[in-house]
């Protein structure tokens, strides 16, 4: 992993820890016993994740090229066999836009997301060669975190890298996140 990737992973972990701290994860990373989890089907959580990403793109309000991959299902450490617990993660990018436009999009996120129930929990610069600015938001009501970083492609083109991650949800009785991508 390159230094910038390690820094981003750290930021995402910080956002996830911040969010998950209110959802039954102890400060040492262990699960609290008998932690109630929000019950949500993988289908519903995937749609919610798409809706959050779409709303972020609308708030950024910059026309450019967006990457294609959709939300995926990730493992929750408390349930390594994926019997019931899972989390959603959707990383996408916005590119082929000027750095100034992307910075303005980040400013719009800083202004608008708190009005929509998101708490700004991180706003700074990644300690990397590009000094990449980032913002991290949590929304404990819906149990999601968002990290947005202004990065530079290998060709020195600016792009926003957006990661949306949920807390650990539980599938309804009789459903499993196994085999979900």
């Amino acid at each position: 992993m390159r230094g910038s990737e390690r820094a981003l992973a750290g930021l995402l972990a910080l956002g996830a820890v911040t969010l998950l701290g209110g959802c039954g994860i102890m400060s040492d990373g262990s699960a609290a016993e008998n932690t109630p989890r929000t019950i949500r089907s993988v289908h519903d959580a995937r749609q919610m994740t798409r809706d959050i990403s779409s709303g972020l793109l609308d708030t950024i309000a910059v026309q450019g090229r967006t990457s294609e991959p959709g939300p995926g299902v990730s493992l929750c450490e408390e349930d390594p066999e994926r019997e019931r617990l899972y989390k959603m993660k959707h990383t996408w990018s916005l590119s082929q836009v000027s750095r100034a436009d992307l910075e303005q999009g980040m400013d719009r996120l800083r202004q608008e997301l708190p009005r929509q129930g998101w708490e700004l929990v991180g706003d700074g610069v990644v300690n990397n060669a590009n000094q990449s600015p980032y913002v991290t938001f949590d929304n404990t009501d819906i149990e999601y975190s968002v990290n947005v970083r202004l990065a530079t492609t290998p060709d020195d083109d600016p792009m926003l890298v957006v990661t949306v991650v949920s807390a650990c949800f539980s599938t309804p009785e009789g459903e499993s996140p196994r085999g979900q991508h």
Side-chain angles (χ1 to χ4, degrees):
M1 220 186 262
R2 295 181 319 205
S4 61
E5 291 170 339
R6 280 192 300 275
L8 176 60
L11 290 173
L12 294 175
L14 172 63
V17 167
T18 301
L19 171 66
L20 296 176
C23 300
I25 302 299
M26 309 303 281
S27 61
D28 66 358
S30 63
E33 289 186 31
N34 300 321
T35 301
R37 302 287 179 171
T38 298
I39 296 174
R40 188 170 288 152
S41 72
V42 173
H43 176 268
D44 290 348
R46 188 181 312 274
Q47 187 58 52
M48 184 173 203
T49 306
R50 281 187 187 112
D51 292 346
I52 291 168
S53 287
S54 179
L56 292 168
L57 185 58
D58 290 346
T59 301
I60 293 167
V62 172
Q63 296 296 317
R65 180 178 174 266
T66 56
S67 58
E68 292 299 318
V73 177
S74 296
L75 174 71
C76 288
E77 289 181 20
E78 307 87 282
D79 188 6
E81 300 300 316
R82 282 196 189 178
E83 296 298 326
R84 300 272 309 268
L85 299 181
Y86 69 96
K87 58 185 169 184
M88 298 302 301
K89 184 176 178 183
H90 186 201
T91 300
W92 53 276
S93 63
L94 176 63
S95 60
Q96 298 181 351
V97 180
S98 74
R99 184 177 180 92
D101 286 345
L102 294 175
E103 288 172 343
Q104 288 175 354
M106 287 183 75
D107 286 342
R108 280 188 284 281
L109 291 172
R110 288 181 184 99
Q111 294 296 314
E112 295 300 321
L113 289 187
R115 295 179 188 155
Q116 298 171 23
W118 294 88
E119 179 184 355
L120 179 64
V121 296
D123 190 349
V125 177
V126 178
N127 187 17
N128 62 12
N130 296 321
Q131 296 293 293
S132 304
Y134 73 90
V135 290
T136 303
F137 295 90
D138 285 350
N139 188 323
T140 55
D141 291 338
I142 61 172
E143 301 179 272
Y144 275 83
S145 287
V146 171
N147 179 273
V148 180
R149 177 177 57 103
L150 182 55
T152 304
T153 68
D155 297 330
D156 263 351
D157 294 324
M159 72 174 173
L160 286 184
V161 178
V162 179
T163 302
V164 178
V165 64
S166 74
C168 286
F169 297 131
S170 178
T171 57
E173 189 69 38
E175 289 185 27
S176 171
R178 273 190 196 183
Q180 301 286 332
H181 302 283

